[in-house]
């Protein structure tokens, strides 16, 4: 009896904790959106409100770093109260990535010839950009590290003891010291191969993964094997409660409300929730299962193909098409408009408060797809906290080098990608869509609009870049970049240790070419390359907008496209 009472109390505590965590996440979401809105209102004066999420990320990083400078207990407060919620938002921000592909319709499709040209330029620019970015970053950093070690050897080491070959180089010349950070933690070798997939596996959370009931229920009786088997089956079913709950709301609330009132946002929201959380759990459960355990390479491949973004894109595309077929009142384009208008939440708020209607959305409609995109914007803002965790890596020569390389690669990407598209056979708007071929969605749209590019082609290229990267990362990252062994309950102080040129160059390459999807993947896998990727993505995106909107760069881009 006492054990049953204790179990009930434990379950109540877990439930109450889950509700509190949910309220924290909702509060962080609203706070981040309010920050984005406030910044966007300020940026309206210079007509660049689309920078709001990026500036919000930098503001959060600056604020937390400044507070920590004056009071070291800020880090303890962050680790205790905020970190798990930030990790949850960062993990699930990828729910917004499928939306641009889901919104493509027949009227925006190109003919077979132009699709072939787009695919050809997509492959060429990816090969050149990934290879070039990594090679430039790695060899420049490696050369600097060798020269630095030689200089130190000459100044501190007797001539007879100078090595002919420099030791394995690390970049750790911090501009700002931080005595509160310990660098003596052991980090696994960045080149340790791993046969099993260690891909994008979202962190365990009360919102998407039930705690095993075996931890909640004491074995008070001598239960036979049959009862144990039944309990295990029940546990497996109950652990799928996020998907079951989404389906329940979809059928019990979403469908009746849509049928009675024509209001489909609840139905669409449940469909997004069900598609995303189900694909996330499918991939996770497959990785943990014993299926193909004796063939790790095959399991690695299958788990990688079960990419959450890719599968969610397919499920939502099928859902939207099915709704269009089943509805006699709406065609496909109208169903898509009810799903998403493509306007950020801050623009909808501004239009409602200032009574300045959006030209393409006079009713300030905000659909389920727009909510998913808003979660993506919030995810970018909370990256400021992740940068705070890795601040020592950024306030270093490696951080400055990341910024410098990103600016140079941004210029090369804008001009060469457009020129390459024109040479292959694409003209005008299709060629200009490659000007922002790997920029995060928040900045790609204004960059392409400024030069008159095809937004549909650009959205397809950007999201395809991210999906392609997530399919490749599990096969190469464990052989190149180290991950921390710290658990979520620890401070992750090892993230502030020195990194070698291979880790830094990999982070730069992923941040520039994989954009937000690549950065989210690195943070999801707790990679040491993540902060460099976030900085590279930010600088690369901002400079891409500059090169496509500011003269004389804009004129050069237009001339390269043949317009």
């Amino acid at each position: 009896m006492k054990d049953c009472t204790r179990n009930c109390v434990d379950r109540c505590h877990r439930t109450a904790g889950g509700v509190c965590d949910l309220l924290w996440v909702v509060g962080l979401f609203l706070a981040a959106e309010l920050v984005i809105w406030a910044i966007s209102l300020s940026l309206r004066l210079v007509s660049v409100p689309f920078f709001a999420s990026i500036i919000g990320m930098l503001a959060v990083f600056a604020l937390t770093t400044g507070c920590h400078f004056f009071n070291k207990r800020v880090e303890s407060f962050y680790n205790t109260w905020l970190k798990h919620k930030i990790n949850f938002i960062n993990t699930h921000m990828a729910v917004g990535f499928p939306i641009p592909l889901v919104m493509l319709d027949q009227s925006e499709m190109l003919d077979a010839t132009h699709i072939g040209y787009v695919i050809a330029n997509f492959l060429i620019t990816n090969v050149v950009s990934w290879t070039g970015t990594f090679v430039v970053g790695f060899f420049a950093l490696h050369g600097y590290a060798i020269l630095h070690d030689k200089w130190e050897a000459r100044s501190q080491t007797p001539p007879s003891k100078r090595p002919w070959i420099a030791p394995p180089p690390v970049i750790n010349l911090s501009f700002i010291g931080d005595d509160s950070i310990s660098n003596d933690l052991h980090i696994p070798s960045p080149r340790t191969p791993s046969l099993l997939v260690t891909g994008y596996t979202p962190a365990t959370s009360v919102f998407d993964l039930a705690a095993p009931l075996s931890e909640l229920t004491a074995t008070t009786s001598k239960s036979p094997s049959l009862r144990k088997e039944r309990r295990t089956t029940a546990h497996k079913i109950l652990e799928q409660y996020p998907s079951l709950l989404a389906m329940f709301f979809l059928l019990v609330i979403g469908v009746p409300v849509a049928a009675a009132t024509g209001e489909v946002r609840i139905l669409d929201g449940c469909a997004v929730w069900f598609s995303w959380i189900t694909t996330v759990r499918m991939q996770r459960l497959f990785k943990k299962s014993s299926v193909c355990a004796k063939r790790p390479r095959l399991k690695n491949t299958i788990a990688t193909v079960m990419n959450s973004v890719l599968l969610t894109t397919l499920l939502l595309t099928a859902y939207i098409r099915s709704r269009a077929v089943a509805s006699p009142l709406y065609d496909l384009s109208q169903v898509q408009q009810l799903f998403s208008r493509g306007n950020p939440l801050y623009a909808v708020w501004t239009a409602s408060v200032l009574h300045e209607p959006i030209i393409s959305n006079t009713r300030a409609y905000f659909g389920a797809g727009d909510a998913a995109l808003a979660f993506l914007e919030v995810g970018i803002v909370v990256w400021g906290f992740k940068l705070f965790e890795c601040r020592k890596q950024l306030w270093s020569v490696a951080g400055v080098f990341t910024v410098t390389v990103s600016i140079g690669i941004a210029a090369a990407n804008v001009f060469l990608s457009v020129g390459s598209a024109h040479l292959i056979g694409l003209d005008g708007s299709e060629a200009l869509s490659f000007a922002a071929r790997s920029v995060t969605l928040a900045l790609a749209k204004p960059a392409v609009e400024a030069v008159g590019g095809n937004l549909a082609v650009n959205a397809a290229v950007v999201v395809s870049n991210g999906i392609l990267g997530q399919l490749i990362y599990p096969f190469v990252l464990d052989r190149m970049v180290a991950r921390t062994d710290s658990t979520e309950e620890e401070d992750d102080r090892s993230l502030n240790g020195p990194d070698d040129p291979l880790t830094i160059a990999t982070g730069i390459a992923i941040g520039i070419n994989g954009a937000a999807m690549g950065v989210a993947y690195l943070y999801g896998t707790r990679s040491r390359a993540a902060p460099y990727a976030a900085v590279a993505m930010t600088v690369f995106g901002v400079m891409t907008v500059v090169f496509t909107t500011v003269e004389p760069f804009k004129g050069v881009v237009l001339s390269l496209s043949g317009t």
Side-chain angles (χ1 to χ4, degrees):
M1 187 67 181
K2 292 182 179 179
D3 291 334
C4 293
T5 303
R6 189 187 310 114
N7 291 336
C8 291
V9 172
D10 289 341
R11 291 182 183 181
C12 290
H13 286 168
R14 288 177 181 269
T15 303
V19 173
C20 290
D21 286 344
L22 179 60
L23 294 176
W24 266 100
V25 171
V26 172
L28 287 171
F29 178 88
L30 293 176
E33 279 295 346
L34 289 174
V35 168
I36 295 173
W37 187 30
I39 294 175
S40 70
L41 290 175
S42 302
L43 294 177
R44 278 163 54 91
L45 301 176
V46 290
S47 301
V48 287
F50 44 82
F51 279 126
S53 57
I54 297 294
I55 294 179
M57 175 184 67
L58 299 177
V60 169
F61 172 53
L63 179 63
T64 50
T65 303
C67 292
H68 178 265
F69 180 79
F70 291 104
N71 190 341
K72 302 300 182 182
R73 288 181 294 181
V74 168
E75 185 171 18
S76 176
F77 173 83
Y78 168 74
N79 288 326
T80 303
W81 295 101
L82 295 179
K83 186 173 181 179
H84 298 306
K85 293 79 178 179
I86 298 301
N87 288 342
F88 174 81
I89 294 175
N90 177 76
T91 292
H92 294 288
M93 65 176 284
V95 69
F97 295 132
I99 305 303
L101 291 182
V102 174
M103 294 302 296
L104 295 177
D105 60 26
Q106 296 296 327
S107 63
E108 297 175 310
M109 297 297 180
L110 305 177
D111 56 46
T113 301
H114 284 82
I115 291 176
Y117 290 155
V118 169
I119 294 175
N121 198 54
F122 173 82
L123 296 176
I124 291 172
T125 52
N126 265 285
V127 171
V128 173
S129 182
W130 278 97
T131 305
T133 304
F134 178 79
V135 168
V136 169
F138 175 75
F139 283 103
L141 281 166
H142 188 73
Y144 170 80
I146 291 177
L147 292 176
H148 179 264
D149 287 344
K150 286 183 177 180
W151 180 81
E152 281 195 340
R154 288 174 180 170
S155 61
Q156 300 177 6
T157 307
S160 59
K161 296 184 179 180
R162 291 177 190 165
W164 285 98
I165 301 178
V170 293
I171 309 297
N172 189 32
L173 302 180
S174 298
F175 294 154
I176 298 178
D178 190 346
D179 296 334
S180 66
I181 303 298
S182 173
N183 293 327
D184 59 355
L185 297 179
H186 296 287
I187 305 300
S189 171
R191 297 176 183 82
T192 303
S194 177
L195 296 179
L196 291 177
V197 66
T198 55
Y200 184 53
T201 306
T204 300
S205 168
V206 68
F207 307 118
D208 65 343
L209 181 61
L213 296 184
S214 57
E215 297 179 3
L216 306 179
T217 305
T219 55
T220 55
S221 62
K222 299 179 181 179
S223 55
S225 58
L226 180 60
R227 183 179 301 177
K228 182 178 181 180
E229 182 179 352
R230 288 177 179 174
R231 187 172 63 248
T232 302
T233 303
H235 293 173
K236 291 180 179 180
I237 294 175
L238 290 176
E239 286 178 0
Q240 313 309 315
Y241 77 88
S243 298
L244 297 175
L245 193 61
M247 180 59 69
F248 173 80
F249 278 110
L250 188 149
L251 297 176
V252 175
I253 300 178
V255 173
V257 170
T261 66
E263 175 57 66
V264 297
R265 280 179 283 194
I266 297 177
L267 177 64
D268 290 344
C270 291
V272 173
W273 176 17
F274 174 78
S275 301
W276 173 251
I277 206 67
T278 301
T279 55
V280 167
R281 291 190 54 77
M282 282 175 55
Q283 188 184 44
R284 177 188 297 157
L285 292 175
F286 179 78
K287 292 176 184 179
K288 293 182 177 180
S289 70
S290 59
V291 179
C292 298
K294 296 182 179 179
R295 304 182 66 183
R297 294 186 183 275
L298 176 61
K299 184 169 185 174
N300 187 44
T301 303
I302 296 174
T304 301
V305 173
M306 294 174 65
N307 180 270
S308 304
V309 176
L310 178 60
L311 294 182
T312 300
T313 301
L314 297 177
L315 287 176
L316 288 180
T317 300
Y319 164 76
I320 293 295
R321 266 60 180 177
S322 299
R323 262 195 56 206
V325 172
S327 175
L329 302 177
Y330 301 107
D331 59 18
L332 177 60
S333 61
Q334 292 173 319
V335 171
Q336 288 177 317
Q337 288 182 353
L338 292 174
F339 183 72
S340 174
R341 288 296 183 91
N343 300 124
L345 183 56
Y346 69 80
V348 174
W349 284 350
T350 300
S352 301
V353 173
L354 301 182
H355 304 289
E356 298 179 358
I358 303 171
I359 297 177
S360 60
N361 187 11
T362 55
R363 294 192 301 125
Y365 183 84
F366 190 76
D370 299 315
L373 292 173
F375 206 73
L376 173 60
E377 285 188 338
V378 169
I380 293 176
V381 172
V382 301
W383 278 346
F385 291 105
K386 306 304 291 185
L387 294 179
F388 166 71
E389 292 180 23
C390 309
R391 57 196 174 277
K392 194 170 185 180
Q393 287 176 298
L394 304 179
W395 294 112
S396 65
V397 171
V400 174
F401 183 84
T402 300
V403 173
T404 305
V405 170
S406 300
I407 294 174
I409 297 297
N413 177 78
V414 170
F415 301 130
L416 296 181
S417 295
V418 174
S420 171
H422 179 62
L423 290 175
I424 285 177
L426 291 172
D427 290 320
S429 61
E430 287 78 21
L432 290 168
S433 64
F434 280 89
R437 51 166 286 277
S438 58
V439 178
T440 186
L441 294 172
L443 299 179
K445 183 177 180 180
V448 174
E449 281 182 335
V451 293
N454 188 315
L455 292 175
V457 172
N458 174 258
V461 169
V462 169
V463 179
S464 297
N465 266 326
I467 292 176
L468 179 64
Q470 288 203 348
L471 293 176
I472 295 175
Y473 301 148
F475 295 102
V476 297
L477 277 184
D478 272 5
R479 301 175 184 272
M480 300 174 67
V481 181
R483 293 182 298 138
T484 62
D485 282 341
S486 305
T487 62
E488 290 190 2
E489 288 72 17
E490 295 174 349
D491 292 342
D492 287 349
R493 294 180 177 179
S494 57
L495 283 174
N496 294 280
D499 289 310
D500 62 6
L502 188 61
T503 298
I504 300 168
T506 301
I508 295 174
I510 291 177
I512 288 176
N513 295 283
M517 289 180 70
V519 178
Y521 180 93
L522 292 178
Y523 276 129
T525 56
R526 305 171 65 78
S527 171
R528 295 180 61 88
Y532 304 111
V535 172
M537 180 207 72
T538 301
V539 176
F540 178 81
V542 170
M543 294 308 301
T544 296
V545 174
V546 170
F547 290 132
T548 54
T549 58
V550 178
E551 296 290 357
F553 307 115
K554 180 179 178 180
V556 175
V557 173
L558 293 174
S559 64
L560 288 172
S561 67
T563 58

